[in-house]
Amino acid sequence: MAALAITSALVPFLGAGAQASGGGGGGAGAEGLHLVPMEEITVPVVEFDRVTGALRFKLVLEAANAEAAAKVTTELPALRAATVAAALEFARLNVSGLRAVDVAQMDHDLTAAIHASAPGVSRVLIVEVGANRG
């Protein structure tokens, strides 16, 4: 029927990569945000044994510090694999052409999958999500 499209700017996109705190202060509390964006992920929506659409989303991972951000950046392929597996399961159980995407449940599921693979990630930010019938 009608395509579901939910675009959610849950957090402003602050940069294109991990950002270290700014230069020469050297103080202990001078940490900035350490954001690591992931490429858009698209997984199929399967209902009654056939593909009925697609779920697509973008994530930004917030690391605890600059070292964790650097480690997360090198582990992005493995984190992407864990995210795709969790998103496939989420789409299978929770996405339908008849209702909106439950972003709170999606956040919970993806955060659990990513934290299991990368404990240095302090938050998983969903910056865009949408589902459409295909």
Side-chain angles (χ1 to χ4, degrees):
M1 303 277 182
L4 293 176
I6 302 170
T7 303
S8 173
L10 298 177
V11 67
F13 201 122
L14 297 175
Q19 298 180 356
S21 58
E31 287 288 317
L33 286 176
H34 304 283
L35 303 176
V36 181
M38 293 182 77
E39 296 284 327
E40 182 175 270
I41 295 174
T42 303
V43 295
V45 174
V46 178
E47 294 179 280
F48 307 111
D49 296 331
R50 64 185 193 115
V51 175
T52 60
L55 171 67
R56 62 177 171 63
F57 58 93
K58 290 183 184 178
L59 302 178
V60 174
L61 308 177
E62 182 180 343
N65 54 46
E67 294 79 26
K71 187 171 192 237
V72 166
T73 300
T74 63
E75 296 173 346
L76 277 176
L79 291 175
R80 185 175 178 84
T83 303
V84 167
L88 283 166
E89 185 68 3
F90 172 80
R92 183 180 72 80
L93 297 173
N94 299 299
V95 180
S96 166
L98 303 176
R99 63 181 184 260
V101 176
D102 183 353
V103 179
Q105 183 63 47
M106 182 179 174
D107 177 57
H108 176 270
D109 293 356
L110 297 181
T111 297
I114 289 174
H115 278 158
S117 298
V121 173
S122 58
R123 284 194 306 175
V124 177
L125 307 168
I126 300 172
V127 294
E128 188 176 317
V129 63
N132 59 352
R133 294 189 55 83

